[in-house]
Amino acid sequence: GQNIDQPTEMTATEGAIVQINCTYQTSGFNGLFWYQQHAGEAPTFLSYNVLDGLEEKGRFSSFLSRSKGYSYLLLKELQMKDSASYLCAVRPPLNTDKLIFGTGTRLQVFP
Amino acid sequence: EADIYQTPRYLVIGTGKKITLECSQTMGHDKMYWYQQDPGMELHLIHYSYGVNSTEKGDLSSESTVSRIRTEHFPLTLESARPSHTSQYLCASSELVGPYEQYFGPGTRLTVT
């Protein structure tokens, strides 16, 4: 079966650091994506991990452990505009066209 | 900057009407996708296409149909709208080769009364 788990909601303070976790149990694995989605808007691509380790891109970093079926998105120096939903999506093997999405984590950043 | 467009952005329509949701992209991407997303829920793939004249059904059963006559255009049609079709519909596209990052359009929020 396919299952992706993320916390439903998180809150944080402007300037702080927040870590959003994602665990997955899928029939195989061929890459993990993180997307940001502001309310009423389209998801936008943040990061892609296919090998174990940390990928850093500015204030955002994403980590993957394939043996643990685990990823996290780390947001540093939080800004008010970071208030959004963060979607974890896994691409199963043998079918590079499909992404399996989690329900997303809604992050609220307070001043 | 991704260039993928959807029209209309919002649509309220009565039961039984036929509707077409438009999606166009100017990036020359071969792959295109339609997702359905209810508030607070995950995206579900309903249709995708590898290129012109290619259409495939996704994981979520849908009564909609799609066509791909031109690379840049991937419209979705509901022959007879029902209240159960009320949802947000998101179109996306990606290149033929990896890492297959998908670019999303702004979405169409459909309400069927």
Coordinates of all heavy atoms in Angstrom, one line a residue, chain A residues 17-79:
Chain A
I17 N 13.4 28.6 13.6 CA 13.6 27.4 12.7 C 12.5 26.4 12.9 O 12.1 26.2 14.1 CB 15.0 26.8 13.0 CG1 16.1 27.8 12.7 CG2 15.2 25.5 12.1 CD1 17.5 27.2 13.2
V18 N 12.0 25.8 11.9 CA 10.9 24.8 12.0 C 11.3 23.6 11.2 O 11.8 23.7 10.1 CB 9.5 25.3 11.7 CG1 9.4 25.6 10.2 CG2 8.5 24.4 12.2
Q19 N 11.0 22.4 11.7 CA 11.2 21.1 10.9 C 9.9 20.4 10.7 O 9.2 20.1 11.7 CB 12.2 20.2 11.7 CG 12.5 18.9 11.1 CD 13.5 18.1 11.8 OE1 14.6 18.6 12.2 NE2 13.2 16.8 12.1
I20 N 9.6 20.2 9.5 CA 8.4 19.5 9.1 C 8.7 18.1 8.7 O 9.5 17.9 7.7 CB 7.6 20.2 8.0 CG1 7.3 21.6 8.4 CG2 6.3 19.5 7.6 CD1 6.7 22.5 7.3
N21 N 8.2 17.1 9.4 CA 8.6 15.7 9.1 C 7.6 15.0 8.2 O 6.4 15.4 8.1 CB 8.6 14.9 10.4 CG 9.7 15.4 11.4 OD1 10.7 15.8 10.9 ND2 9.4 15.4 12.7
C22 N 8.1 14.0 7.5 CA 7.3 13.2 6.6 C 7.7 11.8 6.6 O 8.9 11.5 6.4 CB 7.4 13.8 5.1 SG 6.6 12.7 3.9
T23 N 6.9 10.9 6.9 CA 7.2 9.4 6.9 C 6.4 8.8 5.8 O 5.2 9.2 5.6 CB 7.0 8.7 8.2 OG1 5.6 8.9 8.6 CG2 7.9 9.3 9.3
Y24 N 7.0 7.8 5.1 CA 6.3 7.2 4.0 C 6.4 5.7 4.0 O 7.4 5.2 4.5 CB 6.7 7.8 2.7 CG 8.2 7.5 2.3 CD1 8.6 6.4 1.7 CD2 9.2 8.5 2.7 CE1 10.0 6.1 1.4 CE2 10.5 8.2 2.5 CZ 10.9 7.1 1.8 OH 12.2 6.9 1.6
Q25 N 5.3 5.0 3.6 CA 5.4 3.6 3.5 C 4.8 3.3 2.1 O 3.6 3.4 1.9 CB 4.5 2.9 4.6 CG 5.1 3.1 5.9 CD 4.0 2.8 7.0 OE1 2.9 2.9 6.8 NE2 4.5 2.3 8.2
T26 N 5.6 3.1 1.1 CA 5.2 3.0 -0.2 C 5.7 1.7 -0.8 O 6.7 1.2 -0.3 CB 5.5 4.2 -1.1 OG1 7.0 4.3 -1.1 CG2 4.9 5.4 -0.6
S27 N 5.1 1.3 -1.9 CA 5.6 0.1 -2.6 C 6.8 0.5 -3.5 O 6.7 0.8 -4.6 CB 4.5 -0.5 -3.5 OG 3.4 -0.8 -2.7
G28 N 8.0 0.6 -2.8 CA 9.1 1.1 -3.5 C 9.3 2.6 -3.4 O 8.4 3.3 -3.0
F29 N 10.4 3.1 -3.9 CA 10.7 4.5 -3.8 C 11.6 4.9 -4.9 O 12.6 4.3 -5.3 CB 11.4 4.7 -2.4 CG 11.9 6.1 -2.2 CD1 11.0 7.1 -1.7 CD2 13.2 6.5 -2.5 CE1 11.4 8.4 -1.5 CE2 13.6 7.8 -2.4 CZ 12.7 8.8 -1.8
N30 N 11.3 6.1 -5.5 CA 12.1 6.6 -6.6 C 12.2 8.1 -6.5 O 12.2 8.8 -7.5 CB 11.5 6.2 -7.9 CG 12.5 6.4 -9.0 OD1 13.7 6.4 -8.8 ND2 12.0 6.5 -10.3
G31 N 12.2 8.7 -5.3 CA 12.4 10.1 -5.1 C 11.3 10.7 -4.3 O 10.1 10.2 -4.2
L32 N 11.6 11.8 -3.6 CA 10.7 12.5 -2.7 C 10.8 14.0 -3.0 O 11.8 14.6 -3.1 CB 11.0 12.2 -1.2 CG 10.0 12.7 -0.2 CD1 9.9 11.8 1.0 CD2 10.4 14.1 0.3
F33 N 9.6 14.6 -3.1 CA 9.5 16.0 -3.4 C 8.8 16.8 -2.2 O 8.0 16.2 -1.5 CB 8.6 16.3 -4.6 CG 9.1 15.7 -5.9 CD1 9.0 14.4 -6.2 CD2 9.7 16.6 -6.8 CE1 9.5 13.9 -7.4 CE2 10.2 16.1 -8.0 CZ 10.1 14.7 -8.3
W34 N 9.2 18.0 -2.0 CA 8.5 18.9 -1.2 C 8.0 20.1 -2.0 O 8.7 20.7 -2.8 CB 9.4 19.5 -0.1 CG 9.7 18.5 1.1 CD1 10.8 17.7 1.2 CD2 8.9 18.3 2.2 NE1 10.7 16.9 2.3 CE2 9.5 17.3 3.0 CE3 7.7 18.8 2.7 CZ2 9.0 16.8 4.2 CZ3 7.1 18.4 3.9 CH2 7.8 17.4 4.6
Y35 N 6.7 20.4 -1.7 CA 6.1 21.5 -2.4 C 5.5 22.5 -1.4 O 5.1 22.0 -0.3 CB 4.9 21.1 -3.3 CG 5.3 20.5 -4.6 CD1 5.7 19.1 -4.7 CD2 5.3 21.2 -5.8 CE1 6.0 18.6 -5.9 CE2 5.7 20.7 -7.0 CZ 6.0 19.3 -7.1 OH 6.4 18.8 -8.3
Q36 N 5.4 23.7 -1.7 CA 4.8 24.7 -0.8 C 3.5 25.2 -1.5 O 3.5 25.4 -2.8 CB 5.7 26.0 -0.7 CG 5.1 27.1 0.2 CD 5.9 28.4 0.1 OE1 6.1 28.9 -1.0 NE2 6.5 28.8 1.2
Q37 N 2.4 25.3 -0.8 CA 1.1 25.7 -1.3 C 0.5 26.7 -0.4 O 0.0 26.4 0.7 CB 0.2 24.5 -1.5 CG -1.1 24.9 -2.3 CD -2.0 23.7 -2.5 OE1 -2.0 22.7 -1.8 NE2 -2.8 23.7 -3.6
H38 N 0.4 28.0 -0.9 CA -0.3 29.0 -0.2 C -1.8 28.8 -0.4 O -2.2 28.3 -1.5 CB 0.1 30.4 -0.6 CG 1.5 30.8 -0.1 ND1 2.6 30.7 -0.8 CD2 1.8 31.3 1.1 CE1 3.6 31.1 -0.1 NE2 3.2 31.5 1.1
A39 N -2.6 29.2 0.5 CA -4.0 29.0 0.5 C -4.6 29.6 -0.8 O -4.4 30.7 -1.2 CB -4.7 29.7 1.7
G40 N -5.3 28.7 -1.5 CA -6.0 29.1 -2.8 C -5.1 29.2 -4.0 O -5.5 29.7 -5.0
E41 N -3.8 28.8 -3.8 CA -2.8 28.9 -4.9 C -2.3 27.6 -5.3 O -2.6 26.5 -4.7 CB -1.7 29.9 -4.5 CG -2.1 31.3 -4.2 CD -1.0 32.2 -3.9 OE1 0.2 31.8 -4.1 OE2 -1.2 33.3 -3.5
A42 N -1.5 27.5 -6.4 CA -0.9 26.3 -6.8 C 0.3 25.9 -6.0 O 1.0 26.7 -5.5 CB -0.5 26.5 -8.3
P43 N 0.5 24.6 -5.9 CA 1.8 24.1 -5.2 C 3.0 24.6 -6.1 O 2.9 24.6 -7.3 CB 1.7 22.6 -5.3 CG 0.2 22.3 -5.5 CD -0.3 23.4 -6.3
T44 N 4.0 25.0 -5.4 CA 5.3 25.3 -6.0 C 6.4 24.4 -5.5 O 6.5 24.1 -4.3 CB 5.7 26.8 -5.8 OG1 5.7 27.1 -4.4 CG2 4.7 27.7 -6.5
F45 N 7.3 24.0 -6.4 CA 8.3 23.1 -6.1 C 9.4 23.7 -5.1 O 9.8 24.8 -5.3 CB 9.0 22.6 -7.4 CG 10.3 21.9 -7.2 CD1 10.2 20.5 -6.9 CD2 11.5 22.5 -7.4 CE1 11.4 19.8 -6.7 CE2 12.7 21.7 -7.2 CZ 12.6 20.4 -6.9
L46 N 9.7 22.9 -4.1 CA 10.8 23.4 -3.2 C 12.0 22.6 -3.3 O 13.1 23.1 -3.4 CB 10.3 23.3 -1.7 CG 9.2 24.3 -1.3 CD1 8.8 24.0 0.2 CD2 9.7 25.7 -1.4
S47 N 11.9 21.2 -3.2 CA 13.1 20.4 -3.2 C 12.8 19.0 -3.7 O 11.6 18.6 -3.8 CB 13.7 20.3 -1.8 OG 12.8 19.6 -1.0
Y48 N 13.9 18.3 -4.0 CA 13.8 16.9 -4.5 C 15.0 16.1 -3.9 O 16.1 16.6 -4.0 CB 13.9 16.9 -6.0 CG 14.1 15.5 -6.7 CD1 13.1 14.6 -6.6 CD2 15.3 15.2 -7.3 CE1 13.2 13.4 -7.2 CE2 15.4 14.0 -7.9 CZ 14.4 13.0 -7.8 OH 14.6 11.8 -8.4
N49 N 14.7 15.0 -3.3 CA 15.7 14.1 -2.7 C 15.5 12.7 -3.3 O 14.4 12.2 -3.3 CB 15.6 14.0 -1.2 CG 15.9 15.3 -0.5 OD1 15.1 16.2 -0.6 ND2 17.0 15.4 0.2
V50 N 16.6 12.1 -3.8 CA 16.5 10.7 -4.2 C 17.5 9.9 -3.5 O 17.4 8.7 -3.3 CB 16.6 10.6 -5.8 CG1 18.0 11.0 -6.2 CG2 16.2 9.2 -6.2
L51 N 18.6 10.5 -3.0 CA 19.6 9.8 -2.3 C 19.6 10.3 -0.8 O 19.1 11.4 -0.5 CB 21.0 10.1 -2.9 CG 21.3 9.7 -4.3 CD1 22.6 10.1 -4.8 CD2 21.1 8.2 -4.4
D52 N 20.1 9.5 0.1 CA 20.1 9.9 1.5 C 21.0 11.1 1.7 O 22.0 11.3 1.1 CB 20.7 8.7 2.3 CG 19.8 7.5 2.4 OD1 18.7 7.6 2.0 OD2 20.3 6.5 2.9
G53 N 20.6 11.9 2.6 CA 21.3 13.1 3.0 C 20.5 14.4 2.9 O 19.3 14.4 2.8
L54 N 21.3 15.5 3.1 CA 20.7 16.8 3.2 C 20.9 17.6 1.9 O 22.0 17.6 1.4 CB 21.3 17.5 4.4 CG 20.7 18.8 4.8 CD1 19.3 18.6 5.4 CD2 21.6 19.5 5.8
E55 N 19.8 18.2 1.4 CA 19.9 19.1 0.3 C 19.6 20.5 0.8 O 18.5 20.7 1.3 CB 18.9 18.7 -0.8 CG 19.2 17.3 -1.5 CD 20.3 17.4 -2.5 OE1 20.6 18.6 -3.0 OE2 20.9 16.4 -2.9
E56 N 20.5 21.4 0.6 CA 20.3 22.8 1.1 C 20.0 23.7 -0.1 O 20.7 23.7 -1.1 CB 21.5 23.2 1.9 CG 21.7 22.4 3.2 CD 22.8 23.0 4.1 OE1 22.5 23.9 4.8 OE2 23.9 22.4 4.1
K57 N 19.0 24.6 0.1 CA 18.7 25.6 -0.9 C 18.2 26.8 -0.2 O 17.1 27.0 0.1 CB 17.6 25.0 -1.8 CG 17.4 25.8 -3.1 CD 16.2 25.3 -3.9 CE 16.5 24.0 -4.5 NZ 15.3 23.5 -5.4
G58 N 19.2 27.7 0.1 CA 18.8 29.0 0.8 C 18.4 28.7 2.2 O 19.0 28.0 2.9
R59 N 17.2 29.3 2.5 CA 16.7 29.1 3.8 C 16.0 27.7 4.0 O 15.7 27.3 5.1 CB 15.6 30.2 4.1 CG 16.1 31.6 4.2 CD 15.1 32.6 4.7 NE 13.9 32.6 3.9 CZ 12.7 32.2 4.2 NH1 12.5 31.7 5.4 NH2 11.7 32.4 3.4
F60 N 15.8 27.0 2.9 CA 15.1 25.7 3.0 C 16.1 24.6 2.8 O 17.0 24.6 1.9 CB 14.0 25.6 2.0 CG 12.9 26.5 2.2 CD1 12.9 27.5 3.2 CD2 11.8 26.5 1.3 CE1 11.8 28.3 3.4 CE2 10.7 27.3 1.5 CZ 10.7 28.3 2.5
S61 N 16.0 23.5 3.6 CA 16.8 22.3 3.4 C 15.9 21.1 3.5 O 14.9 21.1 4.2 CB 17.9 22.2 4.5 OG 18.7 23.3 4.6
S62 N 16.2 20.0 2.8 CA 15.4 18.8 2.9 C 16.4 17.6 3.1 O 17.4 17.6 2.5 CB 14.6 18.6 1.7 OG 15.4 18.6 0.5
F63 N 15.9 16.7 4.0 CA 16.7 15.6 4.4 C 15.9 14.3 4.0 O 14.7 14.3 4.1 CB 17.0 15.6 5.9 CG 17.6 14.4 6.4 CD1 19.0 14.2 6.3 CD2 16.9 13.4 7.0 CE1 19.6 13.0 6.8 CE2 17.4 12.2 7.5 CZ 18.8 12.0 7.4
L64 N 16.7 13.3 3.7 CA 16.1 12.0 3.3 C 16.9 10.8 4.0 O 18.1 10.8 3.9 CB 16.0 11.8 1.8 CG 15.5 10.4 1.3 CD1 14.0 10.3 1.7 CD2 15.8 10.3 -0.2
S65 N 16.1 9.9 4.5 CA 16.7 8.6 5.0 C 15.8 7.5 4.4 O 14.7 7.3 4.8 CB 16.7 8.5 6.5 OG 17.0 7.1 6.9
R66 N 16.3 6.9 3.3 CA 15.5 5.8 2.6 C 15.3 4.6 3.5 O 14.2 4.0 3.5 CB 16.2 5.4 1.3 CG 16.1 6.5 0.3 CD 16.9 6.2 -0.9 NE 18.4 6.1 -0.6 CZ 19.3 5.7 -1.4 NH1 19.0 5.2 -2.6 NH2 20.6 5.6 -1.0
S67 N 16.3 4.3 4.3 CA 16.1 3.1 5.2 C 15.0 3.3 6.2 O 14.4 2.3 6.6 CB 17.5 2.7 5.8 OG 17.9 3.8 6.7
K68 N 14.8 4.5 6.6 CA 13.8 4.8 7.7 C 12.5 5.3 7.0 O 11.5 5.5 7.8 CB 14.3 5.8 8.6 CG 15.5 5.4 9.5 CD 16.0 6.5 10.4 CE 17.2 6.0 11.2 NZ 17.7 7.0 12.2
G69 N 12.5 5.5 5.7 CA 11.2 6.0 5.1 C 10.9 7.3 5.7 O 9.7 7.6 6.0
Y70 N 11.9 8.2 5.7 CA 11.7 9.5 6.5 C 12.4 10.6 5.8 O 13.5 10.5 5.2 CB 12.3 9.3 7.9 CG 12.5 10.5 8.7 CD1 11.4 11.2 9.2 CD2 13.8 11.0 9.0 CE1 11.6 12.3 10.0 CE2 14.0 12.1 9.8 CZ 12.9 12.8 10.3 OH 13.1 13.9 11.0
S71 N 11.7 11.7 5.8 CA 12.2 13.0 5.3 C 11.8 14.1 6.2 O 10.8 14.0 6.9 CB 11.7 13.2 3.8 OG 12.1 14.5 3.4
Y72 N 12.6 15.2 6.1 CA 12.1 16.4 6.8 C 12.5 17.6 5.9 O 13.4 17.6 5.2 CB 12.6 16.6 8.2 CG 14.1 16.8 8.4 CD1 14.7 18.0 8.1 CD2 14.9 15.8 9.0 CE1 16.0 18.2 8.3 CE2 16.2 16.0 9.2 CZ 16.8 17.2 8.8 OH 18.2 17.4 9.0
L73 N 11.6 18.7 6.1 CA 11.9 19.9 5.5 C 12.2 20.9 6.6 O 11.5 21.0 7.6 CB 10.7 20.4 4.7 CG 10.8 21.8 4.0 CD1 11.7 21.7 2.8 CD2 9.4 22.2 3.5
L74 N 13.4 21.6 6.5 CA 13.8 22.5 7.5 C 13.7 23.9 7.0 O 14.3 24.2 5.9 CB 15.3 22.2 7.9 CG 15.8 22.9 9.1 CD1 15.2 22.3 10.4 CD2 17.3 22.7 9.2
L75 N 13.0 24.8 7.7 CA 12.9 26.2 7.3 C 13.6 27.0 8.3 O 13.2 27.0 9.5 CB 11.4 26.6 7.1 CG 10.6 25.9 6.0 CD1 10.2 24.5 6.4 CD2 9.3 26.8 5.8
K76 N 14.5 27.8 7.9 CA 15.3 28.7 8.8 C 14.9 30.1 8.6 O 14.3 30.5 7.6 CB 16.8 28.6 8.5 CG 17.4 27.2 8.6 CD 18.8 27.2 8.2 CE 19.4 25.8 8.1 NZ 20.8 25.7 7.6
E77 N 15.1 30.9 9.6 CA 14.9 32.4 9.6 C 13.4 32.6 9.0 O 13.2 33.3 8.0 CB 15.9 33.1 8.7 CG 17.3 32.9 9.1 CD 18.3 33.4 8.1 OE1 17.9 34.2 7.2 OE2 19.5 33.0 8.2
L78 N 12.5 32.0 9.7 CA 11.1 32.1 9.2 C 10.6 33.5 9.0 O 10.9 34.4 9.8 CB 10.2 31.4 10.2 CG 10.2 29.9 10.2 CD1 9.3 29.3 11.3 CD2 9.6 29.4 8.8
Q79 N 9.8 33.6 7.9 CA 9.2 34.9 7.6 C 7.7 34.7 7.5 O 7.2 33.5 7.4 CB 9.7 35.4 6.2 CG 11.2 35.6 6.2 CD 11.7 35.9 4.8 OE1 11.0 36.2 3.9 NE2 13.1 35.9 4.6

